[in-house]
Amino acid sequence: MASTEAVPGPAVRRRSILRSLTFAATVGLVLALLFGVPWWSLVMAGNDWPVGVQVAGTVVFVAALVAFPFTMFLGHGRGVDWAARTGDTILGAIWIVFVWAVIGDVLRLGLLVGGVEDPVRSRVAAGFTAVVALGLGLWGYREAMRVPRVRRVEVRIPRLGAGLDGLRIVQLTDTHYGPIDRVAWSKGVTEVVNGLGADIVAHTGDIADGTPRMRTAQAAPLGDIRAGLARVYVTGNHEYFGEAQGWLDHMRGLGWEPLHNRHIVVERGGDRLVVAGVDDRTAAGTGLEGHRADHELALDGADPDLPVLLLAHQPKQIDGAVAHGIDLQISGHTHGGQIWPFHYLVRVDQPVVQGLTRHGDRTQLYTSRGTGFWGPPFRVFAPSEITEITLRAGQ
C-alpha cells in the first residue's frame, strides 16, 4: 500500500459494518414477511390440516426461501440465465401469493366476525388465497409472454404545424430482452409495429438485461422495423447494467438513430419537428464518460420555435422537460406496476405510473406501461402495450 493511500478509520469501518448489518436485517425481514405470511395463512393458522400436509407445505416454502437469494445472486449477479429465470419466477409467484394471503387474512377476520369457527374459517380463507393466486399467476404469465396489444393515444400539440397533423409515433419501451428466450416474441412485436405504418418508431430504453452479445438474437428483429421518417432510441437505466455504449452502438448497427443527448429534425408537409433524446437519469452516477441526462446538449442548435418530442426513459425526468419547454415527453420505466398492487410503490418514486398527463403550461408526458417485462414473467392488472401516438395540431 502506498504511503499516501488513505486508510479508513475505525469510525468509518463501524459505519460500514452498521450499514451492512442494517441492509441484511432489512432484507431478512422482507423475506420473512414475503414467505412467512403465506406459509402461515395456507399451511398453519387454524387450518388443522393433516401433519403430512403441513410438513409438505412447509418444505415447499422453505425450499423456495432458500433457493431465492441463491438463484437471484447467481442469475443477476453472475449472469447465469437459468438461475435468473428461477429466481425471477419465485419472486413473482411469492409476491402474488403474499398479496392474496394478506387479502385472505382480511377475509378470515370477516368470517370470524360473522361467527364462522375454525378450521372452516381458515380453510375458506386458505382456499380463496390458493385459487385466486394460482388463477392470477397463470393469467399473469400469459399476459407477460403475449405480444402486446396496441394502445392508441391522441396528443394535441398547439405548436405543431398543419403538415405534421396526424403524424404517428409508435413507442416501444422496456423490452427487457433477458434470460427467457423471446426471439419469437420479438419477431411478433416487429410484425405488429410494421403493420401500423408509423412515421416515427421510438424505443425509450431498457432494451435488455445483459450485453448486446448476450441478447443479439432477441434484439435482431428490431433491425427489421420500418418507419417513414425515423427510428430513434435512448438508453434506460438497465443499459447501464450491461454496456450502455455497446447498446447505443448496436442499435446504430441495426439502423436506428441513438439519441445520446442529441436531436434530429423530421419534416412532413413543409413543417418540422425536433426529435430529441436524453440519457437515463441514472447515467451520471455510473461513471461512464459522456453519459448523463443533458437536455441542453440534446437541444443544442435546435430552432426554439419548433415543437419538440423528447425521449427520456423515466417519467421522473419530466422536470427537465418542463424547464426546457418540451412539448411532449414519452417515457416508460414504470411497467404500470407490472404486478398489482406494486404500482403504489412505483408511485412513491415516480410522478406518473402510466398514461397521458400535463406538466406546466406547455409540456405533456406519455408514460407507457412497457412492451415487455422485467424479471418475474407475470403481468397482473398492468397489461403491456405497443403505443401508437397520433399528434394533432391546434388547441
Side-chain angles (χ1 to χ4, degrees):
M1 180 182 292
S3 59
T4 57
E5 197 170 326
V7 179
V12 174
R13 289 196 294 271
R14 282 196 298 271
R15 285 196 296 270
S16 177
I17 293 171
L18 181 60
R19 282 195 298 268
S20 298
L21 291 174
T22 301
F23 176 76
T26 302
V27 171
L29 177 61
V30 169
L31 291 180
L33 289 172
L34 271 178
F35 288 86
V37 168
W39 167 75
W40 177 258
S41 299
L42 293 172
V43 179
M44 305 302 290
N47 296 309
D48 195 25
W49 301 123
V51 173
V53 173
Q54 292 180 342
V55 170
T58 300
V59 167
V60 169
F61 275 99
V62 170
L65 174 60
V66 171
F68 175 66
F70 169 74
T71 52
M72 290 296 280
F73 171 76
L74 193 61
H76 294 285
R78 301 288 181 169
V80 180
D81 280 351
W82 70 262
R85 289 193 295 270
T86 303
D88 290 342
T89 301
I90 292 173
L91 175 60
I94 200 62
W95 173 256
I96 294 171
V97 177
F98 168 79
V99 167
W100 290 95
V102 171
I103 296 173
D105 286 340
V106 174
L107 171 62
R108 189 197 316 271
L109 181 60
L111 292 173
L112 173 63
V113 173
V116 179
E117 300 292 334
D118 269 336
V120 173
R121 179 175 70 243
S122 293
R123 289 185 177 185
V124 168
F128 166 82
T129 297
V131 169
V132 175
L134 178 61
L136 286 178
L138 294 173
W139 174 67
Y141 177 80
R142 180 178 178 275
E143 281 294 298
M145 299 301 291
R146 64 169 293 154
V147 173
R149 305 169 185 86
V150 177
R151 187 180 189 183
R152 292 178 168 86
V153 181
E154 282 198 357
V155 181
R156 192 162 295 278
I157 298 179
R159 297 202 303 162
L160 194 73
L164 292 169
D165 185 70
L167 184 101
R168 286 182 298 157
I169 303 158
V170 169
Q171 180 190 8
L172 304 176
T173 189
D174 300 277
T175 44
H176 284 285
Y177 302 126
I180 297 176
D181 188 352
R182 288 184 291 146
V183 172
W185 178 88
S186 186
K187 290 178 179 177
V189 169
T190 293
E191 290 176 4
V192 171
V193 172
N194 285 343
L196 296 174
D199 298 293
I200 298 171
V201 178
H203 195 304
T204 50
D206 277 9
I207 191 169
D209 294 299
T211 65
R213 180 183 58 80
M214 295 170 63
R215 310 303 178 205
T216 298
Q218 293 184 59
L222 292 176
D224 297 326
I225 283 180
R226 298 187 297 270
L229 298 176
R231 296 178 296 171
V232 289
Y233 160 72
V234 293
T235 55
N237 57 307
H238 278 249
E239 277 84 341
Y240 292 95
F241 304 142
E243 298 182 7
Q245 188 59 52
W247 277 111
L248 289 167
D249 295 339
H250 190 74
M251 289 295 278
R252 182 179 290 106
L254 292 176
W256 289 62
E257 285 274 2
L259 299 181
H260 175 36
N261 295 320
R262 55 183 289 264
H263 72 270
I264 61 173
V265 178
V266 299
E267 183 174 349
R268 195 184 77 172
D271 289 303
R272 295 179 294 159
L273 172 70
V274 174
V275 182
V278 293
D279 296 343
D280 183 69
R281 62 183 297 271
T282 63
T286 65
L288 192 59
E289 185 177 357
H291 285 256
R292 65 191 187 284
D294 191 332
H295 291 77
E296 290 189 11
L297 182 60
L299 297 171
D300 185 40
D303 185 338
D305 293 328
L306 294 181
V308 180
L309 167 69
L310 177 71
L311 281 61
H313 179 63
Q314 298 195 38
K316 193 178 255 187
Q317 294 175 269
I318 190 63
D319 290 345
V322 172
H324 289 83
I326 301 300
D327 296 271
L328 173 63
Q329 174 178 312
I330 57 174
S331 300
H333 184 67
T334 68
H335 299 202
Q338 189 164 319
I339 305 176
W340 185 89
F342 201 78
H343 66 285
Y344 290 115
L345 296 179
V346 174
R347 187 62 181 82
V348 172
D349 180 59
Q350 298 289 332
V352 178
V353 175
Q354 61 90 25
L356 183 65
T357 51
R358 180 173 291 277
H359 303 262
D361 295 332
R362 174 186 294 178
T363 306
Q364 297 181 76
L365 165 66
Y366 182 78
T367 304
S368 168
R369 292 184 300 243
T371 311
F373 60 88
W374 174 84
F378 303 97
R379 274 188 172 270
V380 177
F381 305 140
S384 56
E385 64 181 81
I386 295 169
T387 318
E388 182 185 64
I389 301 171
T390 301
L391 302 186
R392 293 298 181 189
Q395 299 294 330

